[in-house]
Amino acid sequence: MSHPSSGAAAGFSVVHEVMVRASAPDQRPVPLPSTLRYDSTDPYAVCLSLGAPSTRTVDRVFARSLLSEGLRRPGGAGDVLVIPRHRCHPGSVRIVVRSPAGAALLEIAVSAVTAFLEATHRVVPPGTEELHIDLDRVVAELTAGSE
């Protein structure tokens, strides 16, 4: 679903509820209600919120292009890796998230990721992200408190 967001620099948001299968090393996967979010005011990024909205969620923000690339080939470095379908799990995209506390493997249905990305592309087509950045706001945020 896409809807206008509120705030001074109003943009459009895409929010998709997804079910993630989450597992840590040597543990069985568990289903985890989660949300994929995109906002045109931050056109290069997506947010994956792990956990039900009524609980305290864990948010991971990473490049929309990484999620898109991860449908076709492994991508990413550092804290977030996205790995395409595997012969053992052909219907899911795997996302590996790492932190100093450890790593987790997240599996999301390819159909859910594809639908989410298609919705974000209708809001901000790939290659036009720079047209949606409010440079005055970015400069104000970067220079806040430097006076």
Side-chain angles (χ1 to χ4, degrees):
M1 129 175 90
S2 299
H3 56 83
S5 64
S6 60
F12 286 91
S13 296
V14 175
V15 179
H16 279 223
E17 309 271 332
V18 296
M19 187 58 69
V20 171
R21 289 177 37 96
S23 59
D26 302 322
Q27 294 185 2
R28 296 185 57 81
V30 295
L32 186 62
S34 301
T35 306
L36 282 165
R37 298 180 193 283
Y38 177 79
D39 192 297
S40 65
T41 61
D42 189 3
Y44 291 102
V46 295
C47 178
L48 175 60
S49 295
L50 302 166
S54 61
T55 64
R56 188 168 159 215
T57 61
V58 175
D59 296 340
R60 296 305 287 227
V61 177
F62 53 97
R64 175 175 73 161
S65 60
L66 173 60
L67 186 58
S68 185
E69 177 185 339
L71 289 173
R72 296 180 307 283
R73 63 181 170 270
D79 294 348
V80 179
L81 308 171
V82 183
I83 305 162
R85 311 169 214 206
H86 186 268
R87 67 181 172 275
C88 296
H89 301 280
S92 66
V93 173
R94 295 172 293 158
I95 299 173
V96 177
V97 293
R98 297 187 276 205
S99 74
L105 173 65
L106 311 172
E107 294 181 80
I108 306 173
V110 169
S111 59
V113 173
T114 300
F116 171 73
L117 286 170
E118 287 172 352
T120 72
H121 293 166
R122 285 190 296 274
V123 172
V124 177
T128 67
E129 293 88 353
E130 72 280 356
L131 301 175
H132 297 270
I133 295 176
D134 180 352
L135 288 178
D136 292 334
R137 180 184 56 82
V138 171
V139 169
E141 288 175 3
L142 290 173
T143 58
S146 63
E147 299 170 12

